[in-house]
Coordinates of all heavy atoms in Angstrom, one line a residue:
H1 N 30.0 -26.8 -48.7 CA 29.4 -27.2 -47.4 C 30.5 -27.4 -46.3 O 30.1 -27.7 -45.2 CB 28.5 -28.4 -47.5 CG 29.3 -29.7 -47.8 ND1 30.0 -29.9 -49.0 CD2 29.4 -30.9 -47.1 CE1 30.5 -31.1 -49.0 NE2 30.2 -31.8 -47.8
T2 N 31.8 -27.4 -46.7 CA 32.8 -27.5 -45.7 C 33.5 -26.1 -45.4 O 34.5 -26.1 -44.8 CB 33.9 -28.5 -46.2 OG1 34.5 -28.0 -47.4 CG2 33.3 -29.9 -46.4
G3 N 32.9 -25.1 -45.9 CA 33.3 -23.7 -45.6 C 34.3 -23.2 -46.6 O 34.7 -22.0 -46.5
G4 N 34.7 -24.0 -47.6 CA 35.5 -23.5 -48.6 C 34.9 -22.5 -49.6 O 33.7 -22.6 -49.8
E5 N 35.8 -21.7 -50.2 CA 35.2 -20.6 -51.1 C 35.9 -20.7 -52.4 O 37.0 -21.3 -52.6 CB 35.4 -19.3 -50.4 CG 34.7 -19.1 -49.1 CD 34.9 -17.8 -48.5 OE1 35.7 -17.0 -49.0 OE2 34.2 -17.5 -47.4
A6 N 35.3 -20.0 -53.4 CA 36.0 -20.0 -54.7 C 35.2 -18.9 -55.6 O 34.0 -18.6 -55.3 CB 35.9 -21.2 -55.5
D7 N 35.9 -18.4 -56.5 CA 35.3 -17.5 -57.6 C 35.3 -18.2 -58.9 O 36.3 -18.7 -59.2 CB 36.0 -16.2 -57.7 CG 35.8 -15.2 -56.5 OD1 34.7 -15.4 -55.9 OD2 36.6 -14.3 -56.2
Y8 N 34.2 -18.2 -59.6 CA 34.1 -18.8 -60.9 C 33.6 -17.7 -61.9 O 32.7 -16.9 -61.6 CB 33.2 -20.0 -60.9 CG 33.6 -21.1 -60.0 CD1 33.1 -21.3 -58.8 CD2 34.7 -22.0 -60.4 CE1 33.5 -22.2 -58.0 CE2 35.1 -23.1 -59.6 CZ 34.4 -23.1 -58.4 OH 34.9 -24.1 -57.5
R9 N 34.1 -17.7 -63.1 CA 33.6 -16.9 -64.2 C 33.3 -17.8 -65.4 O 34.2 -18.5 -65.8 CB 34.7 -15.9 -64.6 CG 35.2 -14.9 -63.4 CD 34.0 -13.9 -63.1 NE 34.5 -13.0 -62.0 CZ 34.3 -13.2 -60.7 NH1 33.7 -14.3 -60.3 NH2 34.7 -12.3 -59.9
T10 N 32.1 -17.8 -65.8 CA 31.7 -18.8 -66.8 C 31.2 -18.0 -68.1 O 30.6 -16.9 -67.9 CB 30.6 -19.7 -66.4 OG1 29.4 -18.9 -66.1 CG2 31.0 -20.5 -65.2
A11 N 31.5 -18.5 -69.2 CA 31.1 -17.9 -70.5 C 30.9 -18.9 -71.6 O 31.5 -20.0 -71.6 CB 32.1 -16.8 -71.0
A12 N 29.9 -18.7 -72.5 CA 29.7 -19.6 -73.6 C 29.2 -18.8 -74.8 O 28.5 -17.8 -74.7 CB 28.7 -20.7 -73.2
L13 N 29.6 -19.2 -76.0 CA 29.1 -18.7 -77.3 C 28.7 -19.9 -78.1 O 29.4 -21.0 -78.2 CB 30.3 -18.0 -78.0 CG 30.9 -16.8 -77.3 CD1 32.1 -16.3 -78.0 CD2 29.7 -15.7 -77.2
I14 N 27.5 -19.8 -78.7 CA 26.9 -20.8 -79.5 C 26.3 -20.2 -80.8 O 25.7 -19.1 -80.7 CB 25.8 -21.7 -78.8 CG1 26.3 -22.1 -77.4 CG2 25.4 -22.9 -79.6 CD1 25.3 -22.7 -76.6
A15 N 26.5 -20.9 -81.9 CA 25.8 -20.4 -83.1 C 25.1 -21.6 -83.8 O 25.6 -22.7 -83.6 CB 26.8 -19.8 -84.1
R16 N 24.0 -21.3 -84.4 CA 23.3 -22.4 -85.2 C 23.0 -21.8 -86.6 O 22.4 -20.8 -86.8 CB 22.0 -22.8 -84.6 CG 21.2 -23.8 -85.3 CD 20.1 -24.4 -84.6 NE 19.3 -25.4 -85.3 CZ 19.6 -26.6 -85.5 NH1 20.7 -27.1 -84.9 NH2 18.8 -27.4 -86.2
W17 N 23.6 -22.5 -87.6 CA 23.5 -22.0 -89.0 C 22.9 -23.2 -89.8 O 23.4 -24.3 -89.8 CB 24.9 -21.6 -89.5 CG 24.9 -21.2 -91.0 CD1 24.0 -20.5 -91.6 CD2 25.9 -21.6 -92.0 NE1 24.3 -20.3 -93.0 CE2 25.5 -21.0 -93.2 CE3 27.1 -22.4 -91.9 CZ2 26.2 -21.1 -94.4 CZ3 27.8 -22.5 -93.2 CH2 27.4 -21.8 -94.3
E18 N 21.9 -22.9 -90.6 CA 21.2 -23.9 -91.4 C 21.4 -23.4 -92.9 O 20.5 -22.7 -93.4 CB 19.8 -24.0 -91.1 CG 19.6 -24.5 -89.7 CD 18.1 -24.7 -89.2 OE1 17.3 -24.3 -90.1 OE2 17.8 -25.2 -88.2
P19 N 22.5 -23.7 -93.5 CA 22.8 -23.2 -94.9 C 21.7 -23.7 -95.9 O 21.5 -23.1 -97.0 CB 24.2 -23.7 -95.2 CG 24.3 -24.9 -94.3 CD 23.5 -24.6 -93.1
A20 N 21.1 -24.8 -95.6 CA 20.1 -25.4 -96.5 C 19.2 -26.2 -95.7 O 19.4 -26.6 -94.5 CB 20.7 -26.2 -97.6
D21 N 17.9 -26.5 -96.2 CA 17.0 -27.4 -95.6 C 17.7 -28.8 -95.2 O 18.3 -29.4 -96.1 CB 15.8 -27.6 -96.3 CG 15.0 -26.3 -96.5 OD1 15.2 -25.4 -95.7 OD2 14.1 -26.3 -97.4
G22 N 17.6 -29.2 -94.0 CA 18.1 -30.5 -93.5 C 19.5 -30.4 -93.2 O 20.1 -31.5 -92.8
I23 N 20.2 -29.3 -93.2 CA 21.6 -29.2 -92.9 C 21.7 -28.2 -91.7 O 21.1 -27.1 -91.8 CB 22.4 -28.7 -94.1 CG1 22.3 -29.8 -95.2 CG2 23.9 -28.5 -93.7 CD1 23.1 -29.4 -96.5
A24 N 22.4 -28.5 -90.7 CA 22.7 -27.6 -89.5 C 24.1 -27.7 -89.1 O 24.7 -28.9 -89.0 CB 21.7 -28.0 -88.4
I25 N 24.7 -26.6 -88.8 CA 26.0 -26.5 -88.3 C 26.0 -25.7 -87.0 O 25.5 -24.6 -87.0 CB 27.0 -25.8 -89.3 CG1 27.0 -26.6 -90.6 CG2 28.4 -25.8 -88.8 CD1 27.8 -26.0 -91.7
T26 N 26.6 -26.3 -85.9 CA 26.5 -25.6 -84.6 C 28.0 -25.6 -84.0 O 28.4 -26.5 -83.3 CB 25.6 -26.3 -83.7 OG1 24.3 -26.5 -84.3 CG2 25.4 -25.6 -82.3
P27 N 28.6 -24.5 -84.1 CA 29.9 -24.3 -83.4 C 29.7 -23.7 -82.0 O 28.6 -23.1 -81.8 CB 30.7 -23.3 -84.3 CG 29.6 -22.4 -85.0 CD 28.4 -23.4 -85.1
F28 N 30.5 -24.0 -81.1 CA 30.3 -23.6 -79.7 C 31.7 -23.5 -79.0 O 32.6 -24.1 -79.4 CB 29.4 -24.5 -79.0 CG 29.9 -25.8 -78.7 CD1 30.7 -26.2 -77.6 CD2 29.7 -26.9 -79.6 CE1 31.2 -27.5 -77.3 CE2 30.3 -28.1 -79.4 CZ 31.0 -28.4 -78.3
W29 N 31.7 -22.7 -77.9 CA 32.9 -22.5 -77.1 C 32.4 -22.1 -75.7 O 31.5 -21.3 -75.6 CB 33.8 -21.4 -77.7 CG 34.9 -21.0 -76.8 CD1 36.2 -21.5 -76.8 CD2 34.9 -19.9 -75.9 NE1 37.0 -20.9 -75.8 CE2 36.2 -19.9 -75.2 CE3 34.0 -19.1 -75.4 CZ2 36.6 -19.0 -74.2 CZ3 34.3 -18.1 -74.4 CH2 35.6 -18.1 -73.9
S30 N 33.1 -22.6 -74.8 CA 32.8 -22.2 -73.4 C 34.1 -22.2 -72.5 O 35.0 -22.9 -72.8 CB 31.7 -23.2 -72.7 OG 32.4 -24.4 -72.4
R31 N 34.0 -21.4 -71.4 CA 35.2 -21.3 -70.5 C 34.6 -21.1 -69.1 O 33.7 -20.4 -68.9 CB 36.1 -20.1 -70.8 CG 37.3 -20.0 -69.9 CD 38.1 -18.7 -70.3 NE 39.2 -18.6 -69.4 CZ 39.2 -18.0 -68.2 NH1 38.1 -17.5 -67.7 NH2 40.4 -18.0 -67.5
T32 N 35.2 -21.8 -68.2 CA 35.1 -21.6 -66.8 C 36.4 -21.3 -66.2 O 37.4 -22.0 -66.2 CB 34.5 -22.9 -66.0 OG1 33.3 -23.3 -66.6 CG2 34.3 -22.7 -64.6
G33 N 36.5 -20.0 -65.6 CA 37.7 -19.6 -64.9 C 37.6 -19.9 -63.4 O 36.5 -19.7 -62.8
I34 N 38.6 -20.5 -62.9 CA 38.7 -20.9 -61.5 C 39.7 -20.1 -60.7 O 40.8 -20.0 -61.1 CB 39.0 -22.5 -61.4 CG1 38.1 -23.3 -62.3 CG2 39.1 -22.9 -59.9 CD1 38.7 -24.7 -62.5
S35 N 39.2 -19.5 -59.6 CA 40.1 -18.6 -58.9 C 39.9 -18.9 -57.4 O 38.8 -18.9 -56.9 CB 39.7 -17.2 -59.2 OG 40.5 -16.3 -58.4
D36 N 41.0 -19.1 -56.7 CA 41.0 -19.3 -55.2 C 40.1 -20.4 -54.8 O 39.4 -20.2 -53.8 CB 40.8 -17.9 -54.5 CG 41.9 -16.9 -54.6 OD1 43.0 -17.3 -54.9 OD2 41.6 -15.7 -54.5
E37 N 40.1 -21.5 -55.4 CA 39.2 -22.6 -55.1 C 39.7 -23.4 -54.0 O 40.7 -23.9 -54.0 CB 38.9 -23.5 -56.4 CG 38.0 -24.6 -56.1 CD 38.0 -25.6 -57.2 OE1 39.1 -26.2 -57.6 OE2 36.8 -25.8 -57.9
E38 N 38.9 -23.5 -52.9 CA 39.2 -24.3 -51.7 C 38.3 -25.5 -51.8 O 37.1 -25.5 -51.4 CB 38.9 -23.5 -50.5 CG 39.8 -22.2 -50.3 CD 39.4 -21.4 -49.0 OE1 38.3 -21.5 -48.6 OE2 40.3 -20.6 -48.6
N39 N 39.0 -26.6 -52.1 CA 38.2 -27.9 -52.2 C 38.0 -28.4 -50.7 O 38.8 -28.2 -49.8 CB 39.0 -28.9 -53.0 CG 38.7 -28.7 -54.5 OD1 37.7 -28.2 -54.9 ND2 39.6 -29.3 -55.3
P40 N 37.0 -29.3 -50.5 CA 36.7 -29.9 -49.2 C 37.9 -30.7 -48.8 O 38.6 -31.4 -49.6 CB 35.5 -30.8 -49.5 CG 34.8 -30.2 -50.6 CD 35.9 -29.7 -51.5
P41 N 38.2 -30.7 -47.5 CA 39.3 -31.6 -47.0 C 38.9 -33.0 -46.9 O 37.7 -33.4 -46.8 CB 39.5 -31.0 -45.5 CG 38.2 -30.4 -45.2 CD 37.6 -29.9 -46.4
L42 N 39.9 -33.9 -47.2 CA 39.6 -35.4 -47.3 C 40.1 -35.9 -45.9 O 41.3 -35.7 -45.5 CB 40.3 -36.0 -48.4 CG 40.1 -35.4 -49.8 CD1 40.8 -36.1 -50.9 CD2 38.6 -35.2 -50.1

């Protein structure tokens, strides 16, 4: 809202594995790439 601009690239990977009843394993990974980010002036 102050006219600043930026490019973002977001990605996420998630898995859900239930090797047996009552057991759950959930690994995950995510990334946000920040490029030419112009923050609001203070």
Side-chain angles (χ1 to χ4, degrees):
H1 71 296
T2 60
E5 301 179 352
D7 284 339
Y8 300 99
R9 303 289 183 267
T10 64
L13 297 172
I14 312 172
R16 180 171 175 82
W17 179 41
E18 298 179 357
D21 292 344
I23 299 176
I25 300 173
T26 306
F28 66 90
W29 171 89
S30 70
R31 179 184 183 273
T32 299
I34 306 167
S35 178
D36 291 338
E37 180 188 59
E38 297 175 335
N39 276 338
L42 310 180

